[in-house]
Amino acid sequence: QVQLVESGGGLVQAGGSLRLSCAASGRTFSSYTMGWFRQAPGKEREFVSAVSWNGVNTYYADSVKGRFTISRDNAKNTVYLQMNSLKPEDTAVYVCAASRSGHPITIMSRAAYNSWGPGTQVTVSS
């Protein structure tokens, strides 16, 4: 397993941008599919985005497609989530996760991930 720590959350006005980072420990980071999930108060944790081990394949929830961009730097053991055109409904705790699976359907499920970070709060004001 890898240990994950997110950063970059904060308070932003609607239409603004934030860039989240997730730093991973361990020498096997490059072998993991990395994902971002989010959880708003009173709601279940939902898939946001994922990136394959080599950064070639990316996946997005329909709600963020065209606004968010996921990327990774294996040399720095870090995965990023660039969030543009933020909306109040994007307000949530954003959590980074690591998965051994590379299946494009499976990695959209929480069950595919076995390492999770503590999360970072993103608040978008209207």
Side-chain angles (χ1 to χ4, degrees):
Q1 288 188 345
V2 293
Q3 283 72 51
L4 306 171
V5 178
E6 304 90 342
S7 61
L11 173 64
V12 64
Q13 288 188 333
S17 298
L18 282 175
R19 187 194 196 202
L20 305 184
S21 298
C22 173
S25 65
R27 293 175 291 179
T28 59
F29 173 77
S30 61
S31 67
Y32 286 89
T33 293
M34 297 300 298
W36 285 97
F37 288 74
R38 67 186 182 186
Q39 187 165 16
K43 295 187 177 181
E44 291 191 354
R45 186 170 292 186
E46 64 174 2
F47 172 79
V48 175
S49 183
V51 59
S52 60
W53 66 273
N54 57 3
V56 171
N57 298 308
T58 57
Y59 311 90
Y60 298 94
D62 288 343
S63 58
V64 306
K65 203 170 292 184
R67 300 188 298 123
F68 290 11
T69 302
I70 191 170
S71 62
R72 67 189 296 162
D73 186 337
N74 286 342
K76 295 182 178 180
N77 278 16
T78 302
V79 61
Y80 305 97
L81 186 68
Q82 177 67 44
M83 306 187 296
N84 298 330
S85 302
L86 282 161
K87 304 175 181 179
E89 51 264 44
D90 293 320
T91 295
V93 174
Y94 283 71
V95 184
C96 174
S99 172
R100 286 292 193 184
S101 173
H103 193 283
I105 300 299
T106 302
I107 58 172
M108 295 185 183
S109 169
R110 290 173 292 175
Y113 296 81
N114 55 10
S115 296
W116 295 85
T120 185
Q121 176 71 45
V122 171
T123 303
V124 185
S125 63
S126 57

